[in-house]
Structures are given as C-alpha cells and as structure tokens.
C-alpha cells in the first residue's frame, strides 16, 4: 500500500477546481478513497481507469449529484459542500448526452439560459453563437431524435458551454460513437476546449483517448488516484507497475537490486532506487530483437502482427513467459519468421522502471 | 426450410391473422348492430330493421331528461379526469421518486379501490360521505369514480416515469433548473403522453360508470348510464340505440381530435 497521490503542487496559478481527500462510500463499499486533485485554469485532466474504479462517482460528487462522505471540493477557492446542484458553475456532458427529447436543438441549448431568466433576445444571440461554435447552426430546429450520435454529442456540449461553466465535466463522451468518428471528434473536442480556455475533467477508460485529450492524466485504481502526471510522463515513467500495465503494453520481470543497481534479464544493469526484490518493467519498443542465440535473453517467435510501420513480436522466452517486442518493420524478406530462435536485448537500460515486487 | 415446415409456418401466421379478424369483428359488430337498430322505424327493438328514420335521434334531443343526463355525465367525466390528474400524477411521482420506505406499498395500495367491486365501493363511499355530511350528488359521484379509476392514472404515469432516463432530470438540474423548474419543464412534458392516455380511460369511466354511480349520484343530477338503465327497464324503443349512436359518434370525434392534435401513437407510449 502506498499513500494517496499528492494533489500535485506544481501548478503555477491557483487551481480552479480543488479536490481534497474526497471519500465516498456506498454501504460497506468504499468507492472513492481519499482522492485529491487540483485542476488549473484551462487545463484538461483525464480520469483514466478500468470499469468500476470510481470515475463517474468522482464526477458526480463534483457536479453535486452526490455528496462525498469526507473531503472537500472547492471551485475558485469556494467550498461547494452547501451549494446545490443547480447553483454550481459546473457543466456536465452525460454519457447518454441526456438531451431533452421534447425540445429542439435550439431550445435544448437555450434551456440553461432560460432557467436563469435571461432576456429572450440575449438567449437567441447566445444560442446562435454556441451552435455556430459546434457547427450545428443548420440543425437548430431539429429534435434530438433526428440527429446522428456525433451531432447529439455536439448539442450536449453546446448546451453546457453556452452557460460558460467554470468546470466542464465529460463522462466518456465518445462511448456512443463508432471508432472512426471518435478519433476525429477527440481532436476537435480538445481543440474546442482549448480555444475556449475551459477547465475540464474528462473521463475515459480508453488509454489512447486519454493520451489524445489530456494535459494531465489521473490514473485511478479501485477508488484511488494512483498517478497524476502529464501523458508523456505517465507513458514514459509510470509510477507503479499497475499504471505501467494499464498504459501501453509492458513486459515485467522479477529481479534483485543491490548497491543502487538492478540486474536486467539481458545481462545489463540499470540504476535502481530500490533494494532487494523488485519488479522491472520494459516497454516493447525498448527491446531489440535479432535472429540467433548470442545473449542471455533467448526465445522463439511465437506470433507476430503488423501495426502500421511497426511489427509486434510475441517471443516465448526460455525462462518462461511471453515478451512483447515492438520493432520497425524489416525490409521485405528480412523479417523474422514465426518459430525463429531469437535473442532480445534492452536498448536503453535507463528507461527500465523498477517497482516493488508483485 | 422444408415444404412441410413452410406449410406449418403459413398456417400459424394465418391462424393468428384469423384470430385478429375475429377480435376485430367482436369489437365493431355490436356498435354496428346498435347503430342499425337506431334507424329502425318500428317502436321496439328488433333486428333486422324494416325502414329508415332519424326520428329516434330527434327524440333523444327532445327528451330533456336524456340531454341533461348526457351533460351531467360529460361534467362527471371531466371532473373525474381532472381529479385523477391532480391526485394521480403527484402520487405516481412519489411512488417512483420518493426516497422513503413505503413507496412500494403505496403503489400497490392505489390498486385496492379498483379491485373492489364497483357496487361495494359505491356503497362504501355513500356511507362514508353520509358520515361527514356529504350526501349523494354529482360531486360525490365524481369523487367516487375518481377513487375507483385513480389506479389507472397512477399506474400509467408510473410506468412512463420508470422508463424515463434519470440523467434527463439530472441534466436539467445541472443546467440550473430548480427542482420545481425541472418538474415543470422536463418531467411533466415528458409525462404528458402518459397522462393523456390515462385521461382517456378516466374520462370514459367517468362518463360511463354505472356500478359506482348508481349509489353515489345525485337524484336530481342523474348521469346517462343511470338514465339509460331506467329507460331500458321501462321501455323497449330504439331510443336507447339512438343514445348509443350519439355516444359512438362523440367517441369517434374525440379520437379524430386526439389523432389530429397529439397523434394516436403518443397515447400508446
Ligand atoms: N448508486 C450506487 N450504489 C451503490 N454502489 C454504486 C452506486 N453507483 C456506483 N456504485 C459502485 O461504485 C463503483 C464505482 O462506480 P463508477 O460508476 O464510479 O465506476 P466508473 O469508474 O465510472 O466505471 P465505468 O467505466 O464502468 O463507467 C462501482 O463498484 C459501482 O458498483
Ligand atoms: Mg462511469
């Protein structure tokens, strides 16, 4: 067990949203366990984790649908505990979009302004601008049922953006879309949020989506934030074996560290801040593969597949277990056939991560 | 598919169609017979008719007792529907959204008056009314029928509420609506088709109920079913058929209005 991640102190400006030690229980089940997270002005933070780890629960606490059992949630320095849902400067894009089926697109977008009692003329102007922002001006008179999934999602986004919330919460907004549309919408949505300078929390269990969308990623595990860092850092320096396993693919070995160094399976050694039994992690692209048997880490290619310009080899090592290797695709005729005996070596020992033994 | 399987298949589908046709005939034939009888020139009910006349229809509107009875029943139908909406919609909301113990019991409890025989309920309301000093009247009649059919409204609205995506109301709150605003601008409009479907039933029951009304109606404000009962007990003229003909025409007009304004399928929702 390790202590909950610190709320990240390296923010330059005061955080717009500050979550401190939020805990939420359902009966005997602790769904959120001392979650802390500060989100800076204009930042997009992604909550990433497997199904059931508490992502939606944290969003619902921020939005005010549920009250945390412990901890604080402040927006612009003001505690939100006593602020009811309908007074929080928080906009939610629901997983199901939750568009009002009996209202047209324009009326859906106007809804929040109407509830605030804004003058009709002002509402019309702001709705028109919001629809323009999401490129839906031509659809103002349609009903949600007459829109495609992608268009519905944009209406859901326009509907909250028109209120200029301080914090935007998006719960798996791409879930209902097909894979091809997703990629394009992810880039569009990130650019839109960035252009408008909105502070956002984005929920997903898709790591690629997280890497595309986020300024920082909070990797969650069973109600805790396991690591909170920018995407590159999460990818290159996962703080725990769990994060390493969840983000990108990884190879793990049990090893032993002594005197500040740890032995690697290919005979090299790497610096280690731990001593004794450890788990080391090597990314598939940090491994070199060559035919022949001229090193300590040997095996046979069991499976391979092309991923664009790369080839992923699954090598059954003599020590047992399968190692994944990612290599540039070889020239025609020089690729390594299945069944070939190969030797693996680690390209850069310094990029190997060392964790407590599993 | 083997030819045998194909034959069995065709027969099965044919049988279902045949049953549907029989059901349709059972549904329409009585009304048609009644309408045909209402045009008969003879002064007693018999089938088939021997002539054609509109006299009976003229008589319906000349009989002030009948016209008044129709107007009374219209008023009862409207009052019952109003009462059922006023009582039923909040009850349904509490049954589905209430966060306290007993909501399930309540949702079952509303069925009780509907399961009691109408005559028993009528007698019960009559005595209960007498206890608090309310005698039989058009108001007691409306109230008693409303109690009788409240379950229909509650159940119809409840089933719609249960199928409503809870995220819709959450979205409304998140967009700044107070709980009452959410109710008025999201929940209620989305319940409207269900309320309408319930209203059709409660109105028909209010207009047409005999079992409960026979005990609770005011003796100066006789509703149509009671008046008709008296009529068939004392005479045997096609006048009764003509009254039914008027009712059938009114029902068709009502359906056409519903179809033209809100759409028939929304009643089915
Ligand atoms: N209303 C509730 N009552 C009891 N337990 C709940 C309730 N809502 C959620 N949970 C539990 O809380 C845990 C976290 O749920 P949550 O919806 O936050 O997960 P999630 O990370 O959003 O998962 P997913 O990716 O599947 O959406 C789950 O174990 C779930 O069963
Ligand atoms: Mg979720």
């Amino acid at each position: 067990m390790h202590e909950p991640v610190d709320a990240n102190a390296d923010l330059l400006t005061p955080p717009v949203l500050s979550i401190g030690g939020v805990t939420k229980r359902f009966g005997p089940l602790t769904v959120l366990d001392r979650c802390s997270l500060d989100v800076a002005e204009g930042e997009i933070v992604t909550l990433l984790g497997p199904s059931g780890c508490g992502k939606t629960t944290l969003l619902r606490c921020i939005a005010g649908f549920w009250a945390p059992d412990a901890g604080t949630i402040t927006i612009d320095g003001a505690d939100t505990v006593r602020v009811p849902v309908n007074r929080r400067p928080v906009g939610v894009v629901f997983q199901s979009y939750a568009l009002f089926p009996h209202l047209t697109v324009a009326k859906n977008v106007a809804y929040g302004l109407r509830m605030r009692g804004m003058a009709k003329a002002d509402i019309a102007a702001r709705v028109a601008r919001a629809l323009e922002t999401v490129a839906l001006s031509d659809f103002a008179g349609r009903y949600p049922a007459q829109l495609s999934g992608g268009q519905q999602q944009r209406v859901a986004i326009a509907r909250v953006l028109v209120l200029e919330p301080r914090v935007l919460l998006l719960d798996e907004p791409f879930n209902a879309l097909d894979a091809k549309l997703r990629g394009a919408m992810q880039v569009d949505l990130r650019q839109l949020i960035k252009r408008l300078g909105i502070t956002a929390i984005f929920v997903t269990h898709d790591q690629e989506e997280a890497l595309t969308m986020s300024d920082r990623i909070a990797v969650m595990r069973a109600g805790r934030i396991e690591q909170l860092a920018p995407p590159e850092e999460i990818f290159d320096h996962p703080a725990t074996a769990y994060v390493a396993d969840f983000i990108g693919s990884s190879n793990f070995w049990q090893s032993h560290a002594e005197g500040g160094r740890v032995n690697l399976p290919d005979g090299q050694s790497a610096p280690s801040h731990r001593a004794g039994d450890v788990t080391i992690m090597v990314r598939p692209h940090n491994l070199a593969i060559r035919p022949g048997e001229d090193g300590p880490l040997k095996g046979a290619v069991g499976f391979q597949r092309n991923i664009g310009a790369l080839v992923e080899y699954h090598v059954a090592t003599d020590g047992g277990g399968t190692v994944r290797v990612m290599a540039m695709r070889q020239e025609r005729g020089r690729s390594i056939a299945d069944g070939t005996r190969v030797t693996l070596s680690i390209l850069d020992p310094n990029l190997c991560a060392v964790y407590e033994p599993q | 598919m083997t030819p045998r399987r194909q034959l069995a298949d065709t027969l099965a589908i044919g049988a279902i169609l045949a049953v549907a046709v029989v059901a349709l005939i059972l549904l329409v034939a009585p009304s048609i017979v009644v309408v045909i009888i209402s045009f008969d020139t003879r002064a007693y009910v018999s089938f088939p008719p021997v002539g054609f006349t509109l006299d009976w229809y003229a008589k319906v509107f000349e009989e002030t007792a009948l016209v008044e009875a129709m107007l009374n029943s219209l008023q009862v139908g409207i009052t019952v529907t109003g009462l059922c909406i006023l009582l039923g919609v909040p009850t349904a909301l509490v049954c589905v959204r209430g966060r306290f113990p007993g909501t399930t019991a309540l949702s079952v409890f509303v069925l009780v008056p509907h399961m009691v025989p109408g005559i028993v309920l009528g007698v019960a309301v009559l005595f209960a009314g007498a206890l608090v000093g309310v005698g039989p009247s058009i108001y007691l009649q409306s109230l008693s029928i409303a109690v009788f059919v409240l379950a229909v409204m509650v159940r119809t609205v409840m089933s719609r509420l249960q199928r409503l995506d809870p995220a819709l109301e959450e979205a409304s709150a998140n967009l700044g609506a107070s709980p009452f605003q959410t109710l008025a601008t999201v929940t209620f409009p989305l319940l409207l088709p269900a309320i309408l479907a319930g209203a059709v039933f409660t109105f028909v029951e209010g207009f047409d109920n005999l079992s409960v009304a026979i005990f609770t109606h005011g003796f100066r404000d006789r509703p149509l079913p009671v008046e008709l009962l008296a009529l068939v007990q004392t005479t045997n003229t096609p006048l009764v058929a003509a009254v039914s003909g008027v009712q059938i025409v009114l029902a068709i007009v009502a359906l056409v209005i519903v179809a033209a304004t809100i759409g028939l399928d929304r009643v089915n929702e």
Side-chain angles (χ1 to χ4, degrees):
Chain A
M1 285 284 267
H2 49 86
E3 279 310 293
V5 170
D6 188 35
N8 218 41
D10 53 343
L11 299 178
L12 299 175
T13 49
V16 171
L17 172 70
S18 180
I19 298 165
V22 164
T23 298
K24 176 76 189 168
R25 292 183 203 95
F26 288 111
L29 191 70
T30 300
V31 173
L32 290 178
D33 186 10
R34 287 166 290 162
C35 284
S36 294
L37 172 66
D38 282 357
V39 186
E41 181 91 53
E43 191 183 24
I44 305 178
V45 171
T46 294
L47 303 180
L48 175 66
S51 192
C53 70
K55 306 180 294 289
T56 299
T57 306
L58 185 53
L59 275 204
R60 294 181 66 84
C61 287
I62 299 169
F65 297 130
W66 289 337
D69 294 311
T72 55
I73 298 172
T74 62
I75 295 174
D76 288 325
D79 196 346
T80 59
V81 181
R82 307 212 160 275
V83 184
V85 189
N86 56 328
R87 301 263 170 70
R88 294 198 185 192
V90 174
V92 181
V93 175
F94 289 82
Q95 195 167 331
S96 59
Y97 307 144
L99 298 180
F100 303 128
H102 60 299
L103 300 179
T104 61
V105 167
K107 291 225 167 100
N108 263 280
V109 177
Y111 188 83
L113 300 172
R114 232 177 69 212
M115 292 304 118
R116 279 166 179 66
M118 187 181 269
K120 275 225 165 75
D122 296 342
I123 293 181
R126 285 175 68 164
V127 167
R129 217 173 328 131
L131 286 178
E132 209 173 300
T133 312
V134 295
L136 280 176
S137 302
D138 295 341
F139 297 83
R142 291 223 198 159
Y143 284 90
Q146 301 168 316
L147 300 178
S148 74
Q151 290 163 343
Q152 289 180 12
Q153 189 219 51
R154 272 142 62 201
V155 176
I157 290 167
R159 188 174 68 171
V160 291
L161 287 187
V162 77
L163 300 175
E164 298 173 355
R166 286 297 285 151
V167 180
L168 178 64
L169 306 177
L170 304 116
D171 194 354
E172 312 207 23
F174 301 109
N175 242 21
L177 305 181
D178 63 75
K180 202 174 166 200
L181 195 58
R182 261 184 213 205
M185 297 275 297
Q186 283 165 16
V187 176
D188 284 354
L189 183 57
R190 177 173 164 89
Q191 285 175 340
L192 176 66
I193 294 175
K194 282 290 155 191
R195 183 153 49 84
L196 301 174
I198 293 171
T199 307
I201 293 195
F202 177 87
V203 164
T204 181
H205 54 242
D206 181 312
Q207 50 156 312
E208 255 179 65
E209 204 165 283
L211 295 171
T212 309
M213 294 290 300
S214 336
D215 295 321
R216 280 189 302 154
I217 297 176
V219 181
M220 291 185 67
R221 173 192 197 177
R224 285 164 163 250
I225 295 177
E226 184 106 345
Q227 185 176 9
L228 177 62
E232 317 82 63
E233 196 181 323
I234 295 258
F235 195 82
D236 294 338
H237 305 288
T240 65
Y242 172 84
V243 176
D245 200 24
F246 197 76
I247 303 259
S249 60
S250 325
N251 300 299
F252 294 99
W253 280 279
Q254 305 307 319
S255 186
H256 195 77
E258 232 173 53
R261 297 202 68 82
V262 61
N263 297 321
L264 300 179
D266 67 340
Q268 303 185 73
S269 72
S272 168
H273 55 284
R274 290 178 189 279
D277 288 336
V278 295
T279 295
I280 52 177
M281 186 280 290
V282 182
R283 292 288 193 201
H285 56 259
N286 193 20
L287 284 166
I289 181 169
R290 58 182 182 276
E293 303 187 58
D294 56 358
L297 188 54
K298 295 188 289 276
V301 174
F303 170 80
Q304 59 182 288
R305 59 174 177 156
N306 291 333
I307 307 168
L310 298 173
V311 189
E312 185 186 61
Y313 294 100
H314 292 195
V315 177
T317 55
D318 295 350
T322 300
V323 174
R324 288 156 189 252
V325 181
M326 201 73 92
M328 290 301 288
R329 184 146 52 185
Q330 304 290 312
E331 303 265 313
R332 200 194 308 265
R334 284 190 53 208
S335 76
I336 304 171
D338 284 356
T340 311
R341 296 286 301 166
V342 292
T343 303
L344 305 178
S345 56
I346 290 165
L347 290 168
D348 184 351
N350 294 321
L351 289 182
C352 298
V354 183
Y355 304 115
E356 60 191 54
Q358 290 191 308
Chain B
M1 230 196 269
T2 63
R4 241 180 126 163
R5 276 289 299 277
Q6 217 158 13
L7 182 68
D9 231 64
T10 316
L11 284 178
I13 302 282
I16 292 172
L17 271 175
V19 170
V21 169
V22 168
L24 198 65
I25 290 171
L26 285 174
L27 286 173
V28 207
S31 306
I32 292 176
V33 168
V34 164
V35 170
I36 290 173
I37 290 173
S38 70
F39 296 123
D40 201 350
T41 45
R42 291 174 294 185
Y44 53 92
V45 170
S46 183
F47 197 84
V50 294
F52 178 88
T53 176
L54 288 174
D55 282 359
W56 300 113
Y57 284 90
K59 280 233 173 68
V60 168
F61 293 99
E62 283 162 13
E63 286 274 349
T64 42
L66 273 178
V67 174
E68 264 169 30
M70 269 191 225
L71 292 177
N72 285 340
S73 278
L74 196 67
Q75 190 190 328
V76 173
I78 291 169
T79 313
V80 166
T81 304
L83 279 173
C84 283
I85 292 174
L86 281 176
L87 297 172
V89 176
T91 306
L93 280 167
V94 167
C95 284
V96 177
R97 292 291 146 84
R99 273 188 225 125
F100 47 86
T103 53
T104 315
L106 179 62
S107 67
V108 174
F109 193 73
V110 294
L111 290 174
V112 171
H114 204 69
M115 292 189 300
V116 170
I119 289 182
V120 174
L121 185 76
V123 172
V125 171
L126 185 65
F127 285 139
L131 219 61
V132 292
V134 181
S137 64
I138 196 163
Y139 307 108
L140 192 68
Q141 184 201 347
S142 302
L143 184 67
S144 60
I145 300 176
V147 170
F148 187 54
V149 293
L150 186 60
V152 175
M153 181 65 78
V154 173
R155 284 290 161 154
T156 317
V157 174
M158 270 180 73
S159 81
R160 176 82 184 107
L161 254 179
Q162 277 155 346
R163 282 182 294 126
L164 216 61
D165 181 4
L168 290 172
E169 286 162 305
E170 287 173 352
S172 166
N174 176 254
L175 292 167
S178 68
F180 180 74
Q181 282 177 314
T182 299
L183 190 67
T185 58
V186 175
T187 318
F188 191 74
L190 292 176
L191 289 182
L192 215 50
I195 295 174
L196 192 82
V200 170
F201 278 98
T202 54
F203 178 80
V204 169
E205 192 66 42
F207 193 87
D208 208 37
N209 177 280
L210 175 66
S211 59
V212 179
I214 202 161
F215 291 101
T216 54
H217 75 270
F219 296 112
R220 287 204 189 80
D221 302 318
R222 278 152 73 108
L224 191 58
V226 172
E227 193 66 45
L228 285 181
L229 182 65
L231 205 62
V232 294
Q233 278 172 338
T234 52
T235 66
N236 187 21
T237 64
L239 188 61
V240 182
V243 175
S244 310
V246 171
Q247 272 184 267
I248 290 167
V249 169
L250 287 180
I252 291 171
V253 168
L255 282 180
V256 168
I257 291 174
V258 169
T261 50
I262 8 201
L264 278 182
D265 16 325
R266 290 194 65 188
V267 177
N268 283 333
E269 253 176 43

